[in-house]
Amino acid sequence: MTTLLIATSNPGKVSELAAMLKDLDCQVIGFADLPENPPAIEETGQTFAENALLKAEHYHRLTGLTALADDSGLEVDALDGRPGVYSARYGGEHLSSTEQVQLLLSELKDVPVPKRTARFVCCIALVGNGINKTFESSCEGSIAYEPRGENGFGYDPVFVDAELGLTFAELSREEKAPRSHRGKAFLQARQFLAEWLKS
Ligand code: ITT
């Protein structure tokens, strides 16, 4: 049976991706299942796809396993698309998610509702022997004036889904998955994976 490595050190992503992968015909493992934590690679790409491939290629090279990496982030229109590919490092490497959310809210404090539009973007890269693929998707929303909800991770408490009017942190994992950037990118990856695992 093929082993698929979920190549991320972000616990929020691990939990979402593991749930999405659970009925595929392969053994899914994370960094915690490896004998030692693999060293990270610097995310020097200018796009989500470049960074997702950088990560998946790096972890495939280190482990020999088929690696699934995700590069994702939040593009805020009033900030000309920032933080974008720098979402994990927004405000500097030392800030917690809660502090990053507060920084975002302070940057947007004078921005009125119609101008608070934003989107989450996700690119999933799959790299293994004979595979080198990316799958990208996004979801539209806007930035709330204050955090709401307890679920999810990162910017979820301030990302308001355009259709539901609820933040992603107010949704359960099962409600977030089909509408999220990661869930939609994963659906494409999953179709490919299912075919590839049969071959
Ligand atoms: P890995 O590189 O190890 O996967 P990371 O957290 O550094 O972990 P990224 O470089 O892709 O991952 O950064 C993405 C950041 O964007 C992440 O840290 C979150 O702050 C944010 N983000 C991505 N998807 C999100 C989601 O579904 N909900 C909330 N925030 C999200």
Side-chain angles (χ1 to χ4, degrees):
M1 185 185 268
T2 304
T3 301
L4 183 66
L5 174 68
I6 304 186
T8 175
S9 51
N10 181 321
K13 290 186 188 177
V14 172
S15 126
E16 289 188 7
L17 290 167
M20 293 173 189
L21 281 159
K22 72 174 184 300
D23 53 346
L24 268 182
D25 194 18
C26 62
Q27 186 195 10
V28 177
I29 65 167
F31 289 164
D33 302 302
L34 296 175
E36 54 192 84
N37 228 11
I41 184 167
E42 212 185 324
E43 297 180 28
T44 52
Q46 300 296 304
T47 64
F48 294 105
E50 280 172 17
N51 280 333
L53 272 175
L54 262 178
K55 290 189 259 191
E57 280 165 357
H58 169 73
Y59 292 111
H60 168 61
R61 225 177 2 255
L62 285 179
T63 63
L65 298 169
T66 304
L68 183 156
D70 153 316
D71 198 60
S72 45
L74 181 66
E75 293 181 347
V76 179
D77 294 327
L79 302 178
D80 297 323
R82 282 191 300 119
V85 290
Y86 301 106
S87 294
R89 291 163 277 171
Y90 179 48
E93 305 273 355
H94 56 289
L95 291 197
S96 67
S97 291
T98 311
E99 290 167 329
Q100 288 179 323
V101 162
Q102 287 310 325
L103 174 62
L104 179 64
L105 292 178
S106 71
E107 279 210 86
L108 295 178
K109 73 177 181 333
D110 297 323
V111 177
V113 172
K115 298 213 160 128
R116 297 176 75 88
T117 47
R119 72 205 46 77
F120 270 131
V121 182
C122 173
C123 183
I124 288 178
L126 263 178
V127 175
N129 294 329
I131 316 178
N132 189 295
K133 299 279 283 180
T134 56
F135 307 89
E136 187 158 325
S137 197
S138 61
C139 58
E140 297 294 324
S142 61
I143 305 302
Y145 281 96
E146 51 187 41
R148 300 195 315 252
E150 304 297 327
N151 303 327
F153 65 97
Y155 301 95
D156 281 344
V158 287
F159 183 80
V160 181
D161 179 90
E163 280 175 9
L164 297 180
L166 295 171
T167 70
F168 271 5
E170 292 178 299
L171 304 182
S172 66
R173 194 170 62 201
E174 292 69 29
E175 289 168 329
K176 178 182 169 185
R179 53 187 63 246
S180 82
H181 52 318
R182 182 165 302 98
K184 292 196 277 182
F186 181 75
L187 219 59
Q188 304 168 40
R190 194 198 152 77
Q191 248 172 341
F192 171 83
L193 261 175
E195 285 301 314
W196 180 74
L197 288 168
K198 271 195 264 167
S199 65

